[in-house]
Amino acid sequence: MKTIKIESILDVFENFDELPKDIKLLMDKAKEARLKAYAPYSNFQVGAAILMDNGEIITGSNQENASYPSGLCAERTAIFYAGAQFPNSKILRMAIVAGSNHNITALPIPPCGACRQSIAEYEVKQEAPIEIFFMGQTGKVIKSNSLSNLLPLMFDKSVL
Ligand code: THU
């Protein structure tokens, strides 16, 4: 038996103002998208904005359902639309803004496991990393240079 250590390297920006200008623009799109979330059950609204290599920006927000599992997260709403609309383009990065309607969320909110798996699929498909930036409504912003940093030991097509 041996023990292995798996490390992820992430960048932490102290606040929104520390971000490069182009990332701020994408984050602003995610903030706008968050306001369009349909989240009457959780009151937790999430917005995602994707920049494609053709310059297109795709946004999405969480869409809930009275039958709870039928709803979908913001990240997957956005990335499935991007995949459906631009199947031959690459996804350069995704910005995510999340927070409760009851209080201001100041912690960076990472994508859930199912969204990580879905984003990973496109990273594998396009053979190029997808940068992920995530934040709450305010406070620190975390950057991952690749989705794979957020999903060690990922399940992908190489095992099928
Ligand atoms: N949600 C997202 O949109 N993205 C995530 O990565 C985590 C959770 C949504 C799903 C649900 O509508 C609400 O947040 C509370 O879980």
Side-chain angles (χ1 to χ4, degrees), residues 38-39 42-47 61-64 71-77 96 98 109-113 115-116:
Y38 175 59
S42 71
N43 283 299
F44 191 82
Q45 294 190 292
V46 187
S61 56
N62 52 328
Q63 299 294 313
E64 296 187 350
L72 197 64
C73 291
E75 298 88 328
R76 279 178 285 163
T77 303
I96 305 162
I109 307 294
C112 78
C115 287
R116 294 181 204 198

Side-chain angles (χ1 to χ4, degrees), residues 15-16 19 23-39 43-50 58-63 73-76 78 93-101 103-112 115 119 132-142:
N15 54 54
F16 185 83
L19 292 170
I23 308 300
K24 279 185 188 159
L25 288 175
L26 197 65
M27 265 303 176
D28 280 337
K29 295 282 183 195
K31 285 183 183 182
E32 277 172 40
R34 177 178 171 271
L35 300 178
K36 297 181 190 158
Y38 175 59
N43 283 299
F44 191 82
Q45 294 190 292
V46 187
I50 290 172
I58 309 294
T59 61
S61 56
N62 52 328
Q63 299 294 313
C73 291
E75 298 88 328
R76 279 178 285 163
R93 60 179 66 103
M94 180 188 287
I96 305 162
V97 178
S100 165
N101 288 340
N103 44 51
I104 299 283
T105 305
L107 288 175
I109 307 294
C112 78
C115 287
I119 301 167
I132 312 288
F133 292 79
F134 54 92
M135 67 179 296
Q137 285 139 287
T138 184
K140 291 185 169 56
V141 182
I142 295 188

Side-chain angles (χ1 to χ4, degrees), residues 64-90:
E64 296 187 350
N65 193 284
S67 173
Y68 293 178
S70 299
L72 197 64
C73 291
E75 298 88 328
R76 279 178 285 163
T77 303
I79 207 161
F80 291 157
Y81 184 80
Q85 205 65 25
F86 301 109
N88 301 318
S89 298
K90 290 187 180 175

